[in-house]
Amino acid sequence: MSVRVLIVGFGYVGQLLGQLLKADGHTVYGVKRTHQHTLIDQLIQKDIMHLDDADLPEIDFVVYCPSSDARDEMAYQRVYADGADHVLSLLEQRAHKPRFIYVSSTRVYEQDHGEWVDETAECVGNDPLAKCILAGEARVMRSTLNHMVVRCSGLYGPNRHYLLDALQNGDARLCHSLRFSNRIHTLDCARMLYHMMRIRYNERLYIASDSEPTPINTIVAWLSATTGIALPEMKHDDSPEPDDGRSNKKLNNARLLHTGFRFEFSNYRQGFKHILQEKGLMPPPETP
């Protein structure tokens, strides 16, 4: 059955999700401040905070996945908290109430001792940017709409691969200490959001990260061995990936897997192999 989906924040992941939805015959609307050519049914070119009820069509699902233009508290508050509150306030007045999926971040988990973390783990909220995200989550959880929060780990994929870029540019660094990293391929992220639209039993909160948390040094060493690019000599203490901070935790995706979702790229090797093949840094897959 065809459904109507509004993607608020029609960016990197939103566009991939839109493509998947359109391929299955669904009606797709996107909200984005800037114009772009797209094959979805309608692009609503407007700032989230300037949306009014007349801008929003009748819809069955909303995927709220905007990204912040800046990494500061004011920008995060506007996008993740105030923006979500504004859109929810519009939709809660309607007779036909859509399911609302809020795309959050595992940045809210500040654990840094290499421990396993699942949806029951405490979010301390000392990080001011994490506080803004948690404020948005709390607003979603209070909503009268059928809602869920999906906390995604580090996104990577075509044109978004900080570790590979750093290695190629000679800027990669190894960590002095064991520091675990968590990630999800952008295609899997889009597939996961589509999947979450269709589940019946909703536990409200999910971690979306692949099945193999891995030390940063292991990933850099694998990329070096696979591409032939020399390993960096410099060491450091921080993660080289944006939004990772001094991250050192292992994310448990068991609740997501329990819904029946299966990853196309369940670990960094599978995901980066796909990227390296696209960039011509690895031989293409053999055809039968």
Side-chain angles (χ1 to χ4, degrees):
M1 182 180 69
S2 176
V3 295
R4 301 160 296 180
V5 184
L6 175 68
I7 302 173
V8 181
F10 196 67
Y12 196 50
V13 171
Q15 292 173 41
L16 287 174
L17 174 59
Q19 292 171 17
L20 295 176
L21 290 165
K22 286 302 297 177
D24 283 350
H26 301 298
T27 302
V28 182
Y29 307 97
V31 175
K32 186 179 176 71
R33 282 183 303 174
T34 56
H35 176 73
Q36 71 179 61
H37 295 290
T38 176
L39 297 178
I40 63 173
D41 295 271
Q42 182 185 354
L43 183 68
I44 303 164
Q45 190 180 340
K46 210 165 187 181
D47 185 280
I48 293 171
M49 295 302 296
H50 297 158
L51 290 170
D52 55 44
D53 186 69
D55 294 317
L56 304 181
E58 283 294 309
I59 43 181
D60 304 300
F61 295 90
V62 177
V63 179
Y64 188 86
C65 57
S67 58
S68 175
D69 289 338
R71 299 182 189 280
D72 61 61
E73 192 172 352
M74 184 178 297
Y76 267 58
Q77 175 69 27
R78 179 179 174 82
V79 169
Y80 292 104
D82 298 342
D85 176 57
H86 180 63
V87 174
L88 284 165
S89 296
L90 294 175
L91 297 172
E92 286 166 347
Q93 304 305 312
R94 295 190 166 190
H96 179 70
K97 293 179 169 58
R99 172 179 281 192
F100 192 95
I101 301 176
Y102 181 88
V103 181
S104 181
S105 168
T106 55
R107 181 184 188 121
V108 299
Y109 297 115
E110 297 176 21
Q111 290 82 354
D112 63 356
H113 296 293
E115 61 266 60
W116 280 100
V117 172
D118 64 15
E119 290 84 355
T120 65
E122 183 181 6
C123 298
V124 179
N126 291 324
D127 174 3
L129 303 188
K131 286 183 180 180
C132 298
I133 299 170
L134 288 169
E137 288 188 6
R139 174 62 179 91
V140 174
M141 292 298 190
R142 294 194 303 270
S143 177
T144 57
L145 302 184
N146 182 345
H147 58 263
M148 71 169 62
V149 170
V150 182
R151 292 171 175 164
C152 296
S153 64
L155 288 167
Y156 76 112
N159 304 315
R160 190 186 180 108
H161 31 68
Y162 304 107
L163 288 181
L164 178 59
D165 290 343
L167 190 64
Q168 287 183 300
N169 297 333
D171 298 327
R173 298 170 295 174
L174 296 173
C175 293
H176 284 292
S177 56
L178 181 66
R179 189 164 294 281
F180 280 90
S181 177
N182 303 268
R183 67 199 63 245
I184 181 171
H185 195 282
T186 52
L187 179 58
D188 274 331
C189 187
R191 291 178 58 248
M192 174 274 302
L193 292 171
Y194 189 7
H195 170 82
M196 300 308 277
M197 290 167 49
R198 295 173 286 184
I199 66 171
R200 298 201 174 198
Y201 179 69
N202 178 9
E203 294 193 67
R204 305 295 184 194
L205 177 63
Y206 297 87
I207 286 175
S209 189
D210 75 22
S211 299
E212 196 172 312
T214 309
I216 284 279
N217 287 1
T218 300
I219 301 173
V220 174
W222 183 88
L223 286 170
S224 170
T226 305
T227 62
I229 302 172
L231 271 175
E233 295 183 6
M234 186 182 299
K235 291 190 175 183
H236 70 142
D237 290 321
D238 295 326
S239 166
E241 296 186 285
D243 287 334
D244 233 4
R246 293 178 60 85
S247 174
N248 183 26
K249 54 185 173 280
K250 294 176 284 189
L251 297 175
N252 184 336
N253 64 9
R255 182 178 290 185
L256 175 62
L257 294 179
H258 189 65
T259 68
F261 180 73
R262 293 298 177 263
F263 287 89
E264 186 165 332
F265 308 106
S266 61
N267 57 52
Y268 75 93
R269 294 180 302 279
Q270 294 174 355
F272 272 114
K273 181 178 179 181
H274 180 72
I275 294 167
L276 295 174
Q277 287 171 340
E278 283 193 337
K279 293 176 70 69
L281 294 172
M282 277 186 75
E286 294 182 5
T287 55

